[in-house]
Amino acid sequence: MASTGFTDIDIQVTSSSFIATGLLYEYTHGYLEKNLPKWDCFPQTLRNRMCIEIACIPVRIGLIYFSLPSVLLAFTPASNWTADDTQRSLIACSLMTGAYLFDLMIYREDFFGILHHCMGPALLLWTRLCFSSFTSADALVSRSLMMFIFFGAATGGVFASAGVFLLRVGKRYLERSSLYKYFALCVAGLTVTTVLSCYLNVLYFLHTWDAAYGYFGLAAPLPIIWETFECYLQWRWLLRFYSIEAKLCRGDQRPKDYSDMSDSTPDEGTVWHEIPSAFPKETAFILRALVWQWVVLLLCLYFKFAKELYLHWSFSPTHSVTRTEEVIQNITKW
């Protein structure tokens, strides 16, 4: 395990990302206030939230550029990993850290969203301290992190941000049919990124289990728990989007999860005609099946660790005290 401190490049990229996000945030505020009618009618917290979502888009595009090569070669031998791949992973983590640090300064209603954005600084710290040897040894975990960044923070983040903007702001300016059409595109994009993210990551750990357990040892549950939490957040967002999509089809004017004081109240005599869903009727069933299948694959990871733990402890029961100390030491190290 490499133990390397932060470098000037980390600080420069993180600072540049933080400053650029802040400048774009201020510019977006001014632009929308000047060009979007009735922008001042929205609550201040909502305006701030929407502006930061827009301001993070350039960083998300940068994350796609720096993380995509690692995603494409994720299941190739670790020997294909080069020093350039390590540098790209560090730049991606630094970009995400800068943008997420600024994002954390803006009020957010979703507590889990706050935890998710705290992962940016945490990933940079973890990658720099443990996976910056600039050798093939960095490939094991860095590839998994890059998949989460590419599908979660980058592509998935763009679709999620666009969907939230449509629900919170766009519905005041768009006709219902247009609103649904654009939101359905966001749901479709988020579906692809979420399914690929969750499945590729769990399959990656199953594919590299021997190397992962050899590296983490008895601390192996920690990356698995982290993966479980991140994937849970992605599934949670996707299922919420499908719930809102169904409400838009039925004609619900104000989805409960995204209502705000700026919403206009429809006339009592208004009749909302149901819009045909853009998704097949079997979508809900297929989605639930995908979630449960992913859960089964995830349980396979926990089962593999339980098996390793059983073999480890049963190999020589007389040294149980030593093994207990080893467990504590591994957990503390990671």
Side-chain angles (χ1 to χ4, degrees), residues 100 110-120 122-123 148 152 194 197-198 201-202 205 221-237 294-295 298 301-302:
Y100 278 13
D110 187 3
F111 173 73
F112 286 106
I114 296 175
L115 290 180
H116 173 69
H117 279 214
C118 288
M119 292 295 178
L123 286 184
F148 270 118
T194 299
S197 175
C198 295
N201 269 281
V202 71
F205 270 109
L222 295 184
I224 300 176
I225 292 172
W226 174 78
E227 176 181 342
T228 303
F229 175 71
E230 281 292 318
C231 289
Y232 161 75
L233 292 180
Q234 294 182 49
W235 286 120
R236 177 174 173 266
W237 267 100
W294 172 81
V295 170
L298 186 66
L301 274 180
Y302 285 100

Side-chain angles (χ1 to χ4, degrees), residues 18 21 49 52-53 56 60 97-108 113-114 117:
F18 181 90
T21 302
R49 188 71 254 155
I52 189 59
E53 294 292 346
C56 286
R60 297 187 193 279
T97 296
Y100 278 13
L101 284 176
F102 191 90
D103 181 278
L104 289 171
M105 298 170 58
I106 309 301
Y107 175 75
R108 175 184 287 270
I114 296 175
H117 279 214

Side-chain angles (χ1 to χ4, degrees), residues 32-50:
L32 293 178
E33 184 176 357
K34 181 179 179 181
N35 295 280
L36 196 63
K38 300 182 180 180
W39 175 247
D40 291 338
C41 296
F42 292 98
Q44 183 65 42
T45 55
L46 174 60
R47 282 180 282 165
N48 293 343
R49 188 71 254 155
M50 294 301 98

Side-chain angles (χ1 to χ4, degrees), residues 8 15 21 27 96 171 179 235 292:
D8 291 340
S15 301
T21 302
Y27 173 80
M96 185 171 63
K171 64 181 179 181
L179 174 64
W235 286 120
W292 282 110

Side-chain angles (χ1 to χ4, degrees), residues 85-159:
D85 294 316
T86 299
Q87 188 61 63
R88 279 194 294 265
S89 68
L90 290 170
I91 292 176
C93 290
S94 298
L95 280 174
M96 185 171 63
T97 296
Y100 278 13
L101 284 176
F102 191 90
D103 181 278
L104 289 171
M105 298 170 58
I106 309 301
Y107 175 75
R108 175 184 287 270
E109 298 174 354
D110 187 3
F111 173 73
F112 286 106
I114 296 175
L115 290 180
H116 173 69
H117 279 214
C118 288
M119 292 295 178
L123 286 184
L124 175 59
L125 179 63
W126 193 24
T127 304
R128 170 51 71 181
L129 295 181
C130 302
F131 309 107
S132 58
S133 65
F134 293 88
T135 66
S136 59
D138 299 332
L140 177 63
V141 175
S142 293
R143 283 175 169 173
S144 175
L145 299 182
M146 290 303 101
M147 281 192 284
F148 270 118
I149 288 177
F150 179 82
F151 291 110
T155 54
V158 170
F159 289 119

Side-chain angles (χ1 to χ4, degrees), residues 19-31:
I19 294 172
T21 302
L23 292 175
L24 186 55
Y25 170 79
E26 295 296 336
Y27 173 80
T28 304
H29 252 301
Y31 179 84

